[in-house]
Amino acid sequence: MSADGIASTTAHGGSKQSQLDKTDAAGDGVIYYPSGRFAVVVCKHGGGRVIAITADTASGQILLNFNHLGVGFVSYTSGKPWVVVTADGWTVSEKSGRIVERGKFPRKQPEPIVCQVNEHLVVTFQDQFSVTAKFSVDDVTRTFKCGQELRRSAPYTETATGRRHDGKLQLDIGSIRARQRRVGLSGSLYVPPGPHHLKSEKPGLGELKATLCSLPPSSAVSSTVAELQSVDARMALIDLLPKPSYRAAAGGTQRSSGSVSLPLSCTASTLASSVTSASSLPEDFGSPPLTDAQRRLARRTARPSAAAV
């Protein structure tokens, strides 16, 4: 099942946005510390979002960083890794850097791993789909979902409205497209529907023939298709000349009399005369000239005739 990681945000404060929170309605932007330093940066990337949370220090130590696929890490304030999440699994380390837990997804432990990074950031890791970062500073409290987020939790065939006579499912195309548009607003990898979705209920190459048949003859597309069909018909009428076929014979080299050898530069009259004179060409073109060494080799390897035996 395809999925993409989206660092979505949920505001827990009032309706009035804080002066420290400079994110837009989609959740992209920056949250600052009261000191003016960067605290949280959220931006779109690769069909999803990237989230980074830094410390309120002059060095700007990165405490959390996850990409749009839910791959990232949580660090101690010292900079050493605490929880590292990859596409295949995870690791948990002590403050000294020693790994105390590692595994591959799916993670089966029911207890989540809670990381109290500092007084502003608490990260809860359950599995690759459940990574939550709660950040609070001054009058700003935000919750970021950094894990891999599925586009759907059930097969799309569950939305089938019936079954056709040939066994194919009838899907609710309208609701599927509506969901694609809705998910697309939050960073889906789906591309927006093209102009064909306004012309056909089931767009695609399978409907191209039916669509062309329904076009009026005065349509520019119909004239273009007719010209292409005319070119195809003319190409089918072109008959290539037969290729020359050679075969070795005991008395020399023979070539089929139905074959014609043409020069690289020939006119139409030359081509016609060559074709008409093909039947008068000799069947045996003779033997090629041999050197003295070739003649001696031929005499030594020649088979004795029946008369000599």
Side-chain angles (χ1 to χ4, degrees):
M1 184 176 295
S2 56
D4 63 343
I6 301 173
S8 58
T9 61
T10 303
H12 296 276
S15 59
K16 184 178 179 180
Q17 190 171 10
S18 171
Q19 294 297 323
L20 302 176
D21 189 352
K22 301 301 181 182
T23 57
D24 55 18
D28 298 333
V30 180
I31 299 177
Y32 295 89
Y33 286 107
S35 62
R37 299 188 179 100
F38 290 119
V40 181
V41 178
V42 183
C43 61
K44 292 182 179 179
H45 175 73
R49 284 180 174 83
V50 174
I51 177 173
I53 301 178
T54 59
D56 189 11
T57 58
S59 62
Q61 175 65 45
I62 298 178
L63 303 177
L64 178 144
N65 188 13
F66 281 88
N67 66 2
H68 63 289
L69 299 176
V71 176
F73 63 88
V74 181
S75 297
Y76 292 99
T77 54
S78 61
K80 293 185 178 180
W82 192 338
V83 177
V84 177
V85 181
T86 65
D88 300 324
W90 79 96
T91 61
V92 181
S93 304
E94 294 178 340
K95 289 185 177 182
S96 61
R98 185 175 67 90
I99 297 177
V100 295
E101 180 182 335
R102 70 169 71 237
K104 291 187 176 182
F105 295 126
R107 184 173 182 267
K108 299 180 180 180
Q109 292 87 333
E111 300 82 8
I113 299 173
V114 180
C115 305
Q116 179 75 48
V117 181
N118 55 23
E119 67 274 17
H120 303 296
L121 177 62
V122 179
V123 182
T124 303
F125 169 73
Q126 179 65 49
D127 53 33
Q128 70 268 39
F129 305 112
S130 178
V131 181
T132 304
K134 185 177 181 180
F135 179 83
S136 61
V137 59
D138 202 7
D139 58 345
V140 178
T141 301
R142 303 291 294 272
T143 300
F144 301 91
K145 295 181 180 180
C146 309
Q148 194 177 36
E149 188 169 318
L150 297 174
R151 288 198 186 101
R152 64 175 74 92
S153 58
Y156 72 94
T157 52
E158 289 189 359
T159 61
T161 59
R163 189 177 294 273
R164 293 165 45 178
H165 65 280
D166 56 357
K168 295 183 179 180
L169 296 176
Q170 291 180 342
L171 302 179
D172 189 357
I173 304 298
S175 63
I176 293 176
R177 287 185 177 147
R179 185 188 177 281
Q180 290 179 357
R181 289 191 294 268
R182 183 174 65 255
V183 176
L185 296 177
S186 59
S188 172
L189 295 178
Y190 281 116
V191 296
H196 55 265
H197 79 285
L198 300 176
K199 302 296 182 181
S200 174
E201 182 182 0
K202 294 179 292 183
L205 295 177
E207 295 295 321
L208 180 60
K209 190 173 183 180
T211 302
L212 292 176
C213 294
S214 62
L215 293 176
S218 59
S219 173
V221 178
S222 298
S223 61
T224 302
V225 173
E227 292 177 1
L228 293 175
Q229 291 176 346
S230 176
V231 172
D232 290 340
R234 292 167 57 189
M235 293 294 294
L237 296 176
I238 296 178
D239 189 12
L240 300 178
L241 293 174
K243 295 181 180 179
S245 58
Y246 295 91
R247 61 186 180 88
T253 302
Q254 291 187 351
R255 187 172 62 175
S256 173
S257 61
S259 304
V260 180
S261 178
L262 300 177
L264 294 178
S265 58
C266 64
T267 61
S269 59
T270 307
L271 176 62
S273 61
S274 300
V275 174
T276 54
S277 61
S279 59
S280 60
L281 294 176
E283 188 70 25
D284 188 358
F285 288 86
S287 300
L290 302 177
T291 62
D292 295 340
Q294 290 174 335
R295 292 193 186 94
R296 290 194 298 270
L297 180 62
R299 286 194 299 269
R300 293 176 183 176
T301 58
R303 295 181 179 179
S305 59
V309 176

